[in-house]
Amino acid sequence: MIDKNEVKKYFDFHAKTWDSEMIKDEKIVDIILDNAAVRPGVRVLDVACGTGVLFPNYLGRGATVCGIDISPEMIKIAKEKYDSEKVSLLSCDIEDFNPEKGFDCVVVYNAFPHFPDPEKLIEKIYLLTNPGGTATVAHGMSKEKIDGCHSEGVGSISNGLMEAEELAALFEKYFEVTTVISDERMYQVCGRRKV
């Protein structure tokens, strides 16, 4: 079982070098955000946002974004990078996050294996998504590459990446599944919230 305090410690420790080690394929990010319906005027919740890797992509599409992360150090760096009325940031556990209003799009990018209870996470995402809004879990590389990276030193804070079809089955309780991709380039499950 993943210990959330260990996850927090790990990402706090790596926050300073996170951006320099980040690999980001803009074409894949565009596909992910197209499937997630990120467009002008939507409110995006970026769960486990890290240092705000996708913020330029959201803002470039005319969205506003709220980023949350369990790591205070990641949020600290994100705040240094993004001083904008279109960005709000908060260090907290998603289970403790209870905003006054929901979001049009909820995105979990390159972070899903670090959540101890995937089913509980999807249920919480459902509660944070506006009716008709979208939720997506995505990675900018293949399941095999993610699992390979996580087997090298982060196994204690990773469940590994479940098969996309298995995740889609979890989504189906709360969302109409619109996208299931797991290939050599990327991984994504996306759905539109059922009313």
Side-chain angles (χ1 to χ4, degrees), residues 100-172:
E100 289 183 14
K101 57 184 191 173
F103 296 87
D104 305 305
C105 303
V106 179
V107 177
V108 182
Y109 176 72
N110 285 359
F112 187 66
H114 302 295
F115 289 90
D117 187 338
E119 189 162 359
K120 195 172 185 181
L121 174 65
I122 301 307
E123 181 181 11
K124 181 65 176 191
I125 287 171
Y126 164 78
L127 295 172
L128 294 169
T129 307
N130 290 330
T134 62
T136 191
V137 170
H139 286 268
M141 55 179 69
S142 70
K143 176 186 177 341
E144 291 70 29
K145 283 188 181 173
I146 294 292
D147 287 344
C149 291
H150 286 197
S151 69
E152 298 171 9
V154 297
S156 66
I157 60 159
S158 173
N159 285 324
L161 192 53
M162 67 174 53
E163 295 293 337
E165 293 75 16
E166 187 181 353
L167 179 55
L170 288 181
F171 263 61
E172 284 174 353

Side-chain angles (χ1 to χ4, degrees), residues 164-180:
E165 293 75 16
E166 187 181 353
L167 179 55
L170 288 181
F171 263 61
E172 284 174 353
K173 294 179 182 179
Y174 309 102
F175 299 92
E176 176 193 338
V177 176
T178 55
T179 304
V180 180

Side-chain angles (χ1 to χ4, degrees), residues 47-61:
V47 178
C49 67
T51 62
V53 170
L54 291 186
F55 290 7
N57 304 85
Y58 302 136
L59 297 172
R61 288 170 174 249

Side-chain angles (χ1 to χ4, degrees), residues 51-53 55-56 59 77-84 87 89:
T51 62
V53 170
F55 290 7
L59 297 172
I77 291 170
K79 284 181 177 178
E80 291 168 3
K81 290 166 55 179
Y82 301 100
D83 180 16
S84 166
V87 175
L89 292 155

